[in-house]
Amino acid sequence: MQTTEALQGSMTPFRGRPGRLRHVELRTPDLQGLSDFYHAWGLESVGSRDGGEAETSLAFRAQGTNHHVLRFVEAEAAGLGHIAFAASCRSDVDRLCGQWDQLGVEITMEPADLQNLGGGYGFEAADPEGRRLRVITEMIAADPRPSGLALPQRLAHVVLNTVDIDMLCAFYVKVLGFSVSDWSEHQMVFLRNGSDHHSIAFNQASHASVNHIAYEVGSLDDFLVSVGRMKSAGVDPLWGIGRHGPGNNCFAYYGDPAGFVPEITADVDQIDEASWVPRVWQRVPGQSDLWHLAGPPSPEFRATAAGQPDPGCHPPRWDDA
Ligand SMILES: [Fe+2]
């Protein structure tokens, strides 16, 4: 017989998922040229007021009030530091950590007040290839910036190269609570944890690394102005401009001085959970390049997005019991 507590739902296990992307931290042996590149990109350096930046790191903010969206930390080799997601309160941080722990996720840092740039309260866990994921609430707010400028509003999505797309997809869905929005053949899978068509995507590859990081601008006009601003700074896209089928978003992919691929994007599909049905898109121009302007991915784009094997990752391991 069910207890009153069970009937009222208080014994229902917590099934949360992380909130919106907050920021990405990247590792690089060389910080040279990154400030100039990302200032042209429309990001602003995070100042020293909140504890400052060591000479061995750089942080940048977008238009929103997220403390920062991108941080580079000097390291021996290029790779991913961590991807940070939001949580609505401290108890959600605690409950999500407990849920992941129960599901066998490796917790690499228990919930705590964080001493990193921007502070906040959060925890860190590792995915099956060792990528570090943080869930953080109560970070310091950035000063509001003037609106109406064609500048990146926020981090839109992060695409990751994996050696086992099926395992990583299953883990992010079953354990972390993401949903599959679409596939691009059996080469890419687009995952959402909110209304955006994708916040994380995986690309099947020969090694684990960062594929690209996308920043959203507010409109198609802002997208073109942003591409023009980069052109004025002497930087052309590695691939694009174009519009993808999966997600329907505009794209222009670049190479930054550290060898990572940032993307300017706009217009990403917003998902109606009640009616959305995932599809499998074909990797042909009519589906991956809707404007027929971009052509196939350039060799430079392919090589830069492949990156080098991330020393922070390891062969995938996950006991899907
Ligand atoms: Fe993208």
Side-chain angles (χ1 to χ4, degrees), residues 40-57:
W41 194 254
L43 301 183
E44 192 176 88
S45 290
V46 172
S48 58
R49 192 182 65 188
D50 308 323
E53 276 293 282
E55 286 176 9
T56 52
S57 66

Side-chain angles (χ1 to χ4, degrees), residues 157 159 212 214 253 263:
H157 58 259
V159 177
H212 70 265
Y253 297 96
E263 174 192 5

Side-chain angles (χ1 to χ4, degrees), residues 173-243:
V173 170
K174 288 187 187 176
V175 177
L176 303 191
F178 284 69
S179 303
V180 173
S181 290
D182 278 321
W183 286 83
S184 173
E185 296 185 357
H186 193 210
Q187 179 63 45
M188 290 186 74
V189 62
F190 298 88
L191 303 170
R192 69 180 182 276
N193 64 329
S195 60
D196 282 357
H197 176 271
H198 55 287
S199 55
I200 296 287
F202 283 99
N203 177 57
Q204 178 66 42
S206 59
H207 58 254
S209 57
V210 176
N211 183 288
H212 70 265
I213 296 167
Y215 302 83
E216 186 188 61
V217 294
S219 66
L220 179 55
D221 197 57
D222 287 357
F223 172 79
L224 294 171
V225 169
S226 301
V227 172
R229 189 174 59 243
M230 292 306 287
K231 190 176 181 64
S232 299
V235 188
D236 287 322
L238 297 181
W239 186 32
I241 59 173
R243 188 189 282 278

